[in-house]
Amino acid sequence: MRKPIPQTRARLDDLPTRELIARGNTLLSTHAYKDAIDVYKLLVKREPQPEAGWRESLATAYLERSKQLAQKNMYREAAILWENIPNLCGQTRQPELYVDWLLRSGQHTKAMNAYARHAAALTAGAGELETLVAALALTGQKDLVQALPPEAPLRRQMTAAQAALRAYCQGEAEPVVREHLQNIPIRSPYRDLRQVLAALLKLETDPAGAAALVERIPPSSPYQGVVELVRAAASSEPARALLALDPTQRELASGLLGLDQRQIKLLREWARLDQKPGDKARFEFITAHLALFDREQAGRAALALLPTYPHGLQGYAKQFGSLPPFENHRLQALRAERERQVDNALRGWRACADLLIADAENPDSRLSAALTLRHMAELSERVKFSSFEPPKTAEYLEESLRFDPDDRDAYLKLARLHQEAGNDKEYHHWVERAVKQLPDDPQVLLAAVETATARKAYKKAAGFAARVLELDPINSRARAFLINAHLAHARKQILAGKHALAEKELDSAGRLERDNARSGIVEINRGLLAFHQLQPEHMRRWLREGVRLAGSPVLAWARLAVESLRQNLEPETFERDLELGDPRKFAISRADLLALTQLINAYREEGVKDLDTVLEDLEKPLKHAIKQLTDIDDLLPICECLHQAPHHELLEYAATRALADHPDRPLFVYYQTYARAGGDIDEVSDRDYDRLENALNRAVTAQDHRARTLIQRFLDQDMHPMFPRPSPRGGPPSPMDALDLMEEIRDDLERIPPKMRDKILDQMLDQMLDSLPPDDSIPPELGKKVIKALLRGGEGLEDLLDLPDLPPPGGGKRKKRRR
Amino acid sequence: MANPFTVLSVAETAGDDAIKKAYLQQVREHPPERDPERFQTIRAAYEAIKTHQDRLRHRLFGQEAPELADLVASALQPGPRGRLSEQHFRHLLLGRLSGQK
């Protein structure tokens, strides 16, 4: 059956010659060579005489189309198309391309023939092709070289090239091979062979030199396969270099390196291991090739795998002997840590620490014992614990200091733990111990500033701060503390009417302020002092200067408001006088907002109360500024500040803003629900309660410790009502509320170690009785005894009161809690 | 994390000075502006074993997987160098001639 004529072709046949010519020209100029071929073929058919010129155009179309195909790596198709050219116009066009395509498509014999046939027509730029053909000749196509003219370098120098290659491969001595290489001219088509053989020889005595030699061989050279072997064999890390090669190359490079069969097998098996092999595979690899490895190094590597591959323990013992007890415990602890079994990990580390302590004569063992105990302290902090059973973090840290008394962080952490637990005596004790041990450590001294301030030992605190500044003159915390100390004194003197002394204190504070970091606080206080001294001109001048230094209207307003209140003055008087404007209409920029956050934080740390009232007046512009924020790094400190201040309405607003962009961030869920409930867990709606619990789970999974601690603490208000809260119905707690709480307390009591139970119960009862409405009919002591008996399930109650039997603990119907 | 001793190319018995020297050498070879990722690795390795106490801590609690490459490298001590056969040489040439892009 006859093939149907394609539609385009059929249409072309119908076109008059004039139009075909125009179309052919257009197609050539637009590089549409495939279609141009069809047009010119038709024109050649209509007007076959050579003078018409269609053959030339068709040859051009064929050549350009071939190039297009070659660009797509379709070398075979390109070569076939090119073969039409000589028949069309009796002359070849760019035959070097044709030979190249033949070579690239693996048609080596045909390539050699074509090279011989077109040798005379090859252009000057065919040097690279000559190298390719020379390499091809060396692979065994030597007979075809005979077809070249006798004077062609490719033919003339082939014998020398073959001799050099043979001499190298047959293991001739280096000088003999070099002599052969001398016979290959430097511009020969065999020059890459000359270079690569020289590199292979160099590899035997000077691997680095060999690598340098192959750098001169162009990337397109056919000798690059050999070059890769030289590079791998010359590498300073041959194992990695060999692994990057394909299996055949790897075997050949191993031969160049002189590796024996066992080493080659090792390499092969290592290559078989995946990029990220499992611990079992790694362990078995080590033990299978132990004879080749450095035994100590192999032992360490195998040991390092045991925490993740415990099944290897037996194999390890077989190959390297039983583990010493210390390593056994260490492995158990590490494994338990990986499996998040903190209790087991702590047991393992305890055993390690005990063994190290037993060898405490050895300084390394002492230090290792201390490090182990500190590691245990870190681990113990991660244990989920009930508030009645504190973790042993402090105990571990304390013990660690017996073996390494110079660890600053251990002292400070111990102090912080006691501070957080409200154990002020111990907090101060550990800071004092730290100061005694490390008297010139600025961080320790700063902690001492804090403890001394907390104990109202301001003079002592100032001494510590001054010492910090001696040691570290740019320490901003110490400087700020000293400035604040002088300002506090100044305020006291102003309120006491001792204006001259106040002025001296303000001078001292002013001297401490750095010129480039003046906040205006000293000037504002000078202005307030002038107000007390009834010097309105001075007052205005100083306050204006303070406002200018504060940087922005909102910061100036906030500073003036807080400082006035601290001196029992009404800020509005000064604000009006200074024409600061209506705070509700302030335009607060992002920078102002962040600076205000820092200011509020600083005041809170100083112990300034009622910051929420200051924020109250700024609510509207603050909301507007918060609304513009998008960066989570801005929203976080703002929420934190509003949480601490505290200002629930603004906090809820900021958290809601943050949740719009980060809906799953546990911390923002906490801030929002906390603020919405006014910080009272009883005011949290059921929906928010669920969101909080989900956020807690996410925080635990994401190891977001901050969010986890805050949410846990908030939810724990619901768990441990040791500190009675106001009644959910408003007003003081009612007896019914107290009975509900008693049920919960009874549950909690059962979790307390019996020894501690009485003491804690007494504390709880004192707090509970204080919170109950006064009942004159029952003396407090009797009430306490009755409640104590009730909490113990009614034991001994009959002796106190004439009451019916009470249900046993846990036996009665318990109010269902949300947790 | 990679083994810090391997990253810095120092022996596990190296002291503070040797480790610092190796660290500075590595930083010279991989400055942060040219190779920031590698620099981070080098920095982390240095921090992990900088002092005697750090090294003790690393030995007690370090849990990085061993570098098999180091182990293999130590096993590949070269013997007398071999040479390529003509057949292999030709094979490599042919492979390149046919497979060239």
Side-chain angles (χ1 to χ4, degrees):
Chain A
M1 198 177 128
R2 200 172 161 186
K3 224 172 153 184
I5 299 169
Q7 213 181 354
T8 49
R9 181 66 187 274
R11 267 193 274 122
L12 280 180
D13 282 342
D14 297 339
L15 289 176
T17 303
R18 194 163 36 88
E19 273 188 41
L20 269 183
I21 294 169
R23 180 172 287 204
N25 283 338
T26 310
L27 289 169
L28 273 187
S29 62
T30 55
H31 313 296
Y33 303 114
K34 193 180 170 189
D35 292 336
I37 288 171
D38 287 339
V39 172
Y40 286 112
K41 267 167 130 178
L42 199 56
L43 282 168
V44 168
K45 199 175 160 189
R46 287 187 191 176
E47 296 179 0
Q49 64 278 20
E51 48 289 6
W54 309 135
R55 287 170 186 274
E56 287 294 323
S57 300
L58 182 55
T60 304
Y62 272 131
L63 179 65
E64 296 305 323
R65 177 64 185 152
S66 301
K67 286 180 188 172
Q68 284 180 337
L69 291 171
Q71 275 176 356
K72 296 175 189 171
N73 295 343
M74 297 167 75
Y75 301 116
R76 186 175 287 274
E77 293 78 358
I80 290 170
L81 217 53
W82 187 92
E83 282 163 7
N84 290 304
I85 299 172
N87 299 333
L88 270 174
C89 48
Q91 62 175 32
T92 56
R93 288 190 183 185
Q94 295 186 271
E96 65 278 3
L97 291 180
Y98 175 56
V99 179
D100 186 38
W101 295 335
L102 288 173
L103 281 172
R104 287 169 194 261
S105 57
Q107 303 176 76
H108 297 145
T109 311
K110 207 171 170 181
M112 284 303 290
N113 283 326
Y115 183 80
R117 196 165 58 248
H118 300 297
L122 292 174
T123 59
E128 202 181 309
L129 179 69
E130 214 178 20
T131 312
L132 286 173
V133 177
L136 188 58
L138 283 175
T139 64
Q141 309 278 354
K142 56 188 175 186
D143 296 345
L144 293 167
V145 176
Q146 304 307 317
L148 295 173
E151 70 282 3
L154 211 151
R155 180 172 169 183
R156 209 157 23 90
Q157 291 153 14
M158 188 172 167
T159 316
Q162 279 179 321
L165 178 62
R166 194 169 305 122
Y168 166 78
C169 293
Q170 288 179 353
E172 295 285 359
E174 189 186 330
V176 177
V177 183
R178 287 202 183 283
E179 213 176 303
H180 283 291
L181 291 180
Q182 295 292 326
N183 296 331
I184 304 173
I186 208 146
R187 292 182 197 284
S188 163
Y190 299 97
R191 61 187 174 278
D192 286 358
L193 172 77
R194 188 178 190 269
Q195 193 73 6
V196 87
L197 286 179
L200 282 166
L201 281 178
K202 194 94 175 163
L203 191 63
E204 294 169 9
T205 51
D206 173 15
L213 279 179
V214 293
E215 288 308 315
R216 296 181 208 163
I217 297 175
S220 58
S221 169
Y223 297 90
Q224 276 298 329
V226 188
V227 168
E228 283 168 10
L229 298 194
V230 174
R231 282 207 190 104
S235 166
S236 57
E237 290 186 25
R240 285 181 205 278
L242 290 173
L243 202 64
L245 299 176
D246 68 44
T248 313
Q249 282 182 312
R250 198 178 305 133
E251 299 275 320
L252 295 176
S254 302
L256 286 178
L257 269 169
L259 301 182
D260 63 25
Q261 283 311 308
R262 284 188 317 163
Q263 288 170 311
I264 291 174
K265 188 180 170 210
L266 165 81
L267 203 54
R268 203 181 301 134
E269 288 185 16
W270 187 41
R272 261 194 229 126
L273 286 179
D274 289 327
Q275 284 266 306
K276 283 189 176 172
D279 295 319
K280 181 174 187 279
R282 283 163 176 265
F283 189 86
E284 285 171 357
F285 177 77
I286 294 169
T287 48
H289 298 281
L290 202 53
L292 283 169
F293 295 142
D294 174 87
R295 203 172 168 74
E296 200 187 320
Q297 206 182 346
R300 271 204 305 273
L303 184 64
L305 287 167
L306 290 179
T308 46
Y309 179 54
H311 296 302
L313 196 56
Q314 210 175 349
Y316 179 90
K318 200 172 156 191
Q319 297 288 359
F320 302 100
S322 300
L323 283 172
F326 175 81
E327 281 302 334
N328 244 326
H329 294 306
R330 193 177 76 91
L331 274 181
Q332 279 169 15
L334 288 174
R335 201 180 309 147
E337 272 186 39
R338 276 181 175 261
E339 290 162 8
R340 296 177 188 273
Q341 296 174 355
V342 180
D343 287 338
N344 285 345
L346 283 172
R347 260 193 294 280
W349 289 123
R350 180 73 256 178
C352 286
D354 289 342
L355 287 169
L356 289 165
I357 291 166
D359 182 38
E361 298 286 299
N362 178 343
D364 273 4
S365 296
R366 285 180 72 82
L367 189 52
S368 295
L371 291 172
T372 306
L373 288 159
R374 279 172 209 147
H375 185 70
M376 291 168 72
E378 277 173 30
L379 276 180
S380 72
E381 273 199 308
R382 289 189 222 157
V383 190
K384 197 178 174 199
F385 54 88
S386 83
S387 57
F388 299 116
E389 221 174 318
K392 292 182 175 173
T393 314
E395 282 176 39
Y396 295 137
L397 287 172
E398 209 173 319
E399 192 181 353
S400 83
L401 287 170
R402 273 173 45 209
F403 305 104
D404 174 24
D406 290 333
D407 192 82
R408 187 244 341 257
D409 292 347
Y411 287 108
L412 295 184
K413 196 166 180 181
L414 258 170
R416 182 181 57 77
L417 284 170
H418 286 300
Q419 184 190 21
E420 283 174 1
N423 195 349
D424 286 349
K425 196 176 161 195
E426 286 295 300
Y427 162 46
H428 300 314
H429 164 75
W430 282 107
V431 174
E432 271 171 25
R433 285 263 316 252
V435 173
K436 206 174 273 180
Q437 191 72 23
L438 306 156
D440 290 333
D441 188 307
Q443 279 202 49
V444 167
L445 291 168
L446 280 172
V449 170
E450 273 180 37
T451 54
T453 310
R455 284 182 295 178
K456 302 196 190 312
Y458 297 113
K459 211 166 177 181
K460 206 171 175 183
F464 287 132
R467 176 72 185 132
V468 175
L469 276 187
E470 274 173 38
L471 295 164
D472 176 12
I474 57 166
N475 193 303
S476 54
R477 275 183 68 196
R479 191 172 293 276
F481 173 83
L482 283 175
I483 292 170
N484 286 336
H486 285 300
L487 286 171
H489 259 132
R491 283 185 207 103
K492 261 191 204 168
Q493 307 293 10
I494 292 171
L495 290 172
K498 297 175 181 173
H499 297 159
L501 289 175
E503 209 160 330
K504 272 188 185 172
E505 291 292 346
L506 287 172
D507 287 344
S508 302
R511 275 195 297 275
L512 277 163
E513 273 205 315
R514 287 176 167 265
D515 285 341
N516 57 357
R518 299 186 84 86
S519 63
I521 190 168
V522 175
E523 289 70 15
I524 287 174
N525 277 288
R526 282 189 196 282
L528 297 177
L529 171 63
F531 173 81
H532 286 285
Q533 290 171 318
L534 305 174
Q535 297 174 343
E537 278 313 307
H538 275 78
M539 176 198 82
R540 264 183 222 106
R541 187 165 58 83
W542 282 118
L543 287 181
R544 280 207 181 99
E545 180 63 1
V547 165
R548 185 185 69 79
L549 288 168
S552 77
V554 67
L555 292 176
W557 186 89
R559 275 210 185 284
L560 191 55
V562 176
E563 294 302 326
S564 310
L565 290 170
R566 290 173 101 176
Q567 292 194 25
N568 302 331
L569 299 170
E570 280 301 322
E572 288 82 1
T573 323
F574 309 108
E575 285 157 14
R576 267 197 305 276
D577 208 23
L578 293 168
E579 296 168 358
L580 282 176
D582 184 350
R584 288 167 300 179
K585 291 179 184 168
F586 281 151
I588 302 178
S589 68
R590 172 184 166 274
D592 286 348
L593 182 57
L594 294 176
L596 182 68
T597 306
Q598 284 178 356
L599 183 66
I600 298 290
N601 285 342
Y603 275 134
R604 184 179 45 75
E605 280 166 23
E606 271 185 62
V608 177
K609 302 268 189 297
D610 303 329
L611 288 168
D612 53 333
T613 55
V614 176
L615 290 169
E616 211 70 56
D617 290 333
L618 293 169
E619 210 173 283
K620 199 176 165 190
L622 280 176
K623 278 185 178 174
H624 185 73
I626 289 168
K627 198 176 171 185
Q628 313 304 318
L629 296 178
T630 51
D631 193 340
I632 195 165
D633 290 336
D634 292 342
L635 285 159
L636 267 173
I638 287 164
C639 285
E640 174 66 28
C641 168
L642 295 169
H643 180 245
Q644 299 280 354
H647 195 294
H648 294 139
E649 192 176 335
L650 280 171
L651 176 61
E652 186 186 348
Y653 189 84
T656 306
R657 169 69 199 89
L659 283 168
D661 290 341
H662 309 277
D664 294 327
R665 185 81 182 236
L667 200 53
F668 292 131
V669 173
Y670 162 75
Y671 283 138
Q672 191 193 45
T673 48
Y674 176 89
R676 199 177 275 163
D680 182 355
I681 191 71
D682 279 341
E683 295 300 317
V684 175
S685 68
D686 284 349
R687 184 175 164 273
D688 275 351
Y689 203 95
D690 289 344
R691 287 177 64 220
L692 264 181
E693 288 194 319
N694 289 336
L696 178 61
N697 290 338
R698 285 201 301 281
V700 170
T701 311
Q703 298 197 335
D704 181 349
H705 300 299
R706 170 116 190 95
R708 197 185 86 170
T709 311
L710 285 170
I711 300 173
Q712 189 76 60
R713 198 181 294 164
F714 190 37
L715 291 174
D716 279 354
Q717 282 186 17
D718 201 28
M719 280 285 285
H720 305 298
M722 278 180 65
F723 309 99
R725 301 175 299 281
S727 163
R729 291 178 285 276
S734 71
M736 280 312 292
D737 294 330
L739 285 173
D740 278 347
L741 295 183
M742 274 192 340
E743 276 291 337
E744 288 167 39
I745 293 170
R746 186 188 280 166
D747 279 357
D748 289 335
L749 279 173
E750 283 164 17
R751 302 212 304 268
I752 306 175
K755 279 183 187 172
M756 295 166 68
R757 209 171 279 170
D758 272 346
K759 193 181 165 194
I760 290 176
L761 186 55
D762 275 339
Q763 287 174 3
M764 287 157 71
L765 289 177
D766 285 341
Q767 286 170 351
M768 189 185 245
L769 287 170
D770 289 346
S771 69
L772 287 174
D775 185 348
D776 295 338
S777 61
I778 305 174
E781 273 314 301
L782 179 61
K784 195 169 165 182
K785 281 178 186 168
V786 169
I787 295 172
K788 205 167 173 179
L790 280 168
L791 286 167
R792 286 182 168 153
E795 181 192 322
L797 194 62
E798 298 93 319
D799 300 338
L800 294 165
L801 300 164
D802 186 16
L803 285 175
D805 284 349
L806 285 162
K813 194 180 172 194
R814 191 172 181 274
K815 183 188 169 192
K816 190 177 178 291
R817 298 289 303 177
R818 281 179 290 199
R819 295 188 52 188
Chain B
M1 182 187 154
N3 184 327
F5 293 98
T6 312
V7 173
L8 298 179
S9 302
V10 286
E12 300 215 359
T13 49
D16 291 4
D17 291 344
I19 289 171
K20 189 170 184 180
K21 204 172 156 188
Y23 165 68
L24 294 175
Q25 172 68 26
Q26 291 282 335
V27 172
R28 266 195 295 276
E29 284 171 24
H30 307 276
E33 62 277 11
R34 212 174 55 208
D35 196 351
E37 224 167 89
R38 176 78 183 154
F39 174 76
Q40 287 299 330
T41 311
I42 293 164
R43 181 80 207 163
Y46 180 55
E47 291 297 332
I49 58 170
K50 191 163 62 173
T51 63
H52 180 60
Q53 186 166 323
D54 293 331
R55 292 191 289 281
L56 280 181
R57 191 182 290 115
H58 178 260
R59 263 165 227 157
L60 283 166
F61 315 116
Q63 288 200 57
E64 72 270 4
E67 283 282 343
L68 289 189
D70 295 340
L71 208 54
V72 172
S74 73
L76 296 185
Q77 291 309 315
R81 303 275 174 161
R83 286 192 180 177
L84 290 174
S85 69
E86 257 188 277
Q87 189 197 345
H88 285 140
F89 199 95
R90 285 200 184 111
H91 175 79
L92 288 167
L93 275 183
L94 269 174
R96 218 14 101 131
L97 283 165
S98 304
Q100 264 187 349
K101 298 280 180 298

